[in-house]
Amino acid sequence: MKKRTQVGIIGAGPAGLLLSLLLAKEGYDSLVLESRSREEVESTIRAGVLEQGTIELMTELGLDERMNREGVVHHGIELRFDGESHRIPLTDLTGHAIMLYPQHEVLKDFIAARLSQGGSILFNVKDVQLSDISSDQPMIRFTHDHEQHELQCDFIAGCDGYHGVSRSAIPNALQAVYTRTYPFGWLGILMQAPPSAHELIYAYSERGFSLVSTRSPELQRMYVQCDPQDNIANWSDAMILEELQLRLATKDNWQLRVGPIIQKSILAMRSFVIEPMQYGRLFLAGDAAHIVPPTGAKGLNLAVADVRHLARALTAFYKKQQTDLLEAYTATCLRRVWRAEHFSWWMTSMLHRFPDDDVFQQRIQLAQLAYTVRSRAAATSLAENYVGLPFDW
Ligand code: APR
Ligand code: PHB
């Protein structure tokens, strides 16, 4: 079957869904194609730290009702090392805060909003293929409900994440890929327990990194640094709890509140950027174009910033036949992307144990941590990156 839309969007993650909502607000048509089922998209556990700009954009779109009710505003984070906790007062230092609201809840709100506008999201699509992207009528071929479709578009947005197909439509000879694979992963758990702390705790210890985050008053999210090749079956619940307790221990005997672990998995850690983020009428956004390790909580927020630029550039094209914002898309996005790449790499390097490090390396990390919490300038630098620089920075 042949179909037509203004912007064909591949992927119903934060990038693809938000782009469809931003375009709809300006009166432009899009079709979102997603390979997974709606249930899977709405239940996959990911991070949930929303920067100030992300909160404001959701508010502008009228998507803040449940977020304001169920999300929790945090005005600080804790850095813990040498058995002591140090608060980075994000709001005092920057005037901004962050919101803890899980990514899959954001996705539920985006999907419900788009469908209630009469927008189209096709779930369970297969065999997505892009063609004619250097022409002004690019095409997406795909299978849905056992039927083959051809979607003719003015533009294609590749919002299909790190494992998607869009990126490979950019000719190899024109792509530059920059990457770092870290020699550790994160073992993430969901635990049924009340929160152990009011704010997120990023902890450095001789045994490795750990992070205390939260999902709801009854459900906590925590991570411990682990071998990325490790099998989750090697980690009993008791081992995970013991490791958390050892890594988070303080001189004043801080206590972790514990309960049943209801989910556990190991995530790899990498940094990745492809340049350019655009070729012909194909624009990549979010994880399709860049990955950051989760230490800075930037992944979702970078995806939001990309599609905000893209929606503005497409609006300028449709309203005023202006192409300068589209042409500047890669450069505009990459300024923020590389800032976030640096911040995430820096947080990761400061807080993790590396397999080949020695006492010198540990002293250097501790010196950096001490400087970060003791110097107002250094703490402010962490804080302004953590709450997110302005979109037009
Ligand atoms: N065809 C259609 N959809 C696809 C295809 C494909 N070939 N390949 C992948 N997808 C879908 C995935 O199933 C997923 O739902 O694209 C979506 C991409 O979403 P994300 O991976 O969430 O990427 P993005 O929207 O860029 O958001 C980035 O989300 O996953 C987190 O850590 C990530 O926080 C970051 C943020
Ligand atoms: C999470 O809640 O999953 C989370 C929070 C902060 C991070 C990473 C993940 O830096």
Side-chain angles (χ1 to χ4, degrees), residues 304-320:
V304 167
D306 286 352
V307 296
R308 180 181 171 279
H309 288 310
L310 185 52
R312 290 185 163 216
L314 290 168
T315 302
F317 174 84
Y318 282 120
K319 278 214 169 89
K320 302 183 239 163

Side-chain angles (χ1 to χ4, degrees), residues 10-17 33-36 41 46-47 103 107 125-128 159-166 285-288 291-292 298-301 303:
I10 309 175
L17 291 167
L33 306 175
E34 167 59 50
S35 55
R36 294 183 299 157
V41 170
R46 292 272 164 78
Q103 182 170 313
L107 293 179
V125 304
K126 293 194 174 59
D127 311 324
V128 170
C159 303
D160 47 351
Y162 183 66
H163 300 287
V165 293
S166 304
D287 277 16
I291 297 284
V292 284
K298 291 287 145 225
L300 165 65
N301 298 292

Side-chain angles (χ1 to χ4, degrees), residues 45-49 77 98 100-103 186 189-190 200-202 209 211-215 220-223 267 293-298 347 386:
I45 304 291
R46 292 272 164 78
V49 176
I77 58 168
I98 51 153
L100 265 278
Y101 185 56
Q103 182 170 313
W186 279 12
I189 61 163
L190 276 178
L200 269 58
I201 306 171
Y202 289 82
F209 171 74
L211 169 61
V212 177
S213 180
T214 179
R215 283 293 175 271
Q220 308 313 315
R221 180 77 167 149
M222 282 169 246
Y223 301 92
L267 338 167
T295 327
K298 291 287 145 225
M347 287 280 280
Y386 198 85

Side-chain angles (χ1 to χ4, degrees), residues 273-290:
V273 181
I274 182 174
E275 297 183 7
M277 288 171 59
Q278 173 255 339
Y279 175 70
R281 291 280 183 115
L282 167 67
F283 292 79
L284 301 177
D287 277 16
H290 40 74

Side-chain angles (χ1 to χ4, degrees), residues 74-79 85-98 199-200 372-387:
H74 286 216
H75 295 287
I77 58 168
E78 224 178 85
L79 291 185
S85 259
H86 306 264
R87 182 166 188 262
I88 305 284
L90 299 173
T91 306
D92 291 350
L93 293 169
T94 66
H96 298 306
I98 51 153
E199 295 177 338
L200 269 58
T372 304
V373 300
R374 293 172 72 87
S375 150
R376 190 177 170 89
T380 306
S381 172
L382 187 157
E384 79 167 345
N385 281 279
Y386 198 85
V387 300

